[in-house]
Amino acid sequence: MVSTSIDDLLSSAEEPAGTRAEPAGRGRVRVLLRTLTVTAAITVVVVVGLRAVGLQVSLWIIVAGVLAVLAVRRVTAALTPPPPPRAAARTPAGEEPGTWNWASRDALRTAINGWERPLDWCGGNRERFTERILPRLGELADERLRQKHGITRESDPARARTLLGEPLWTFLSAPSRRPPSPRDLAAIVAELEKL
């Protein structure tokens, strides 16, 4: 059996320090040369522009200003967050990873929230229910009638009344004095789904 310490395992995975210093030095020289070239070019453009309008500013002030702008640009570029993932990117076909990204914006969650929040807000308040939920249910009934039968409650009231059934028609046309209970609302939704 061979005895190997953790230090031996970790030290063999590290790269020698001498090989890393040379590329880093070359990289720093390139960055320095590029910065000096950009600074010189921008300084020339600014000086020519200022002279064209008849202004004279010290060359050192212009160079300092250009270097300050480049430094701020570099710092802000380093501090910017990574771009968000593209919405069109999908995982390859096959099995899902088994985790759900609750922060993602999907249409189903948006639709559920579009009903959940107003229903919660209207709980026990007849006026709010009549103003917010009843028109949505009416639109939903009209859309189902239009898709399945080619009519709406307004275009053919007699046929719509027979298709919706008396309880649903009465609920949509003459609201009650109190908001429906969750059980009544479930029955109304079940009637809408039967259309």
Side-chain angles (χ1 to χ4, degrees), residues 11-46:
S11 65
S12 66
E14 293 176 359
E15 294 180 16
T19 59
R20 295 186 99 201
E22 190 176 31
R26 287 182 185 170
R28 288 183 185 147
V29 170
R30 281 189 185 151
V31 170
L32 182 64
L33 286 176
R34 186 174 52 208
T35 303
L36 289 176
T37 305
V38 170
T39 303
I42 293 174
T43 302
V44 168
V45 170
V46 170

Side-chain angles (χ1 to χ4, degrees), residues 4-19:
T4 305
S5 71
I6 191 78
D7 292 329
D8 293 337
L9 291 174
L10 293 177
S11 65
S12 66
E14 293 176 359
E15 294 180 16
T19 59

Side-chain angles (χ1 to χ4, degrees), residues 113 115-133 179:
N113 288 343
W115 282 96
E116 185 179 32
R117 288 185 185 124
L119 280 171
D120 189 37
W121 184 64
C122 294
N125 190 332
R126 182 183 63 85
E127 291 83 21
R128 286 183 186 168
F129 182 83
T130 305
E131 291 173 3
R132 302 288 180 174
I133 302 300

Side-chain angles (χ1 to χ4, degrees), residues 19-93:
T19 59
R20 295 186 99 201
E22 190 176 31
R26 287 182 185 170
R28 288 183 185 147
V29 170
R30 281 189 185 151
V31 170
L32 182 64
L33 286 176
R34 186 174 52 208
T35 303
L36 289 176
T37 305
V38 170
T39 303
I42 293 174
T43 302
V44 168
V45 170
V46 170
V47 167
V48 169
L50 288 175
R51 296 262 166 97
V53 295
L55 294 174
Q56 285 188 346
V57 179
S58 172
L59 183 63
W60 297 113
I61 292 175
I62 295 173
V63 170
V66 170
L67 286 175
V69 169
L70 290 176
V72 167
R73 183 173 176 246
R74 186 168 183 166
V75 167
T76 56
L79 294 177
T80 57
R86 294 185 339 179
R90 286 279 298 152
T91 56

Side-chain angles (χ1 to χ4, degrees), residues 38-194:
V38 170
T39 303
I42 293 174
T43 302
V44 168
V45 170
V46 170
V47 167
V48 169
L50 288 175
R51 296 262 166 97
V53 295
L55 294 174
Q56 285 188 346
V57 179
S58 172
L59 183 63
W60 297 113
I61 292 175
I62 295 173
V63 170
V66 170
L67 286 175
V69 169
L70 290 176
V72 167
R73 183 173 176 246
R74 186 168 183 166
V75 167
T76 56
L79 294 177
T80 57
R86 294 185 339 179
R90 286 279 298 152
T91 56
E95 233 178 273
E96 294 291 325
T99 59
W100 181 259
N101 183 5
W102 292 103
S104 69
R105 303 280 302 166
D106 66 343
L108 180 60
R109 173 59 49 198
T110 303
I112 289 171
N113 288 343
W115 282 96
E116 185 179 32
R117 288 185 185 124
L119 280 171
D120 189 37
W121 184 64
C122 294
N125 190 332
R126 182 183 63 85
E127 291 83 21
R128 286 183 186 168
F129 182 83
T130 305
E131 291 173 3
R132 302 288 180 174
I133 302 300
L134 201 55
R136 285 185 178 189
L137 289 173
E139 290 172 9
L140 187 60
D142 284 339
E143 186 63 20
R144 295 288 289 206
L145 286 170
R146 186 191 64 75
Q147 286 179 350
K148 301 286 184 175
H149 305 285
I151 63 167
T152 62
R153 290 179 298 153
E154 189 175 296
S155 68
D156 192 358
R159 186 164 176 226
R161 187 175 198 153
T162 58
L163 289 170
L164 290 173
E166 196 58 39
L168 185 55
W169 177 265
T170 305
F171 173 77
L172 292 174
S173 60
S176 66
R177 293 183 177 260
R178 61 177 179 79
S181 67
R183 180 178 292 162
D184 295 338
L185 200 54
I188 290 166
V189 170
E191 289 295 321
L192 280 173
E193 289 176 348
K194 287 181 185 177

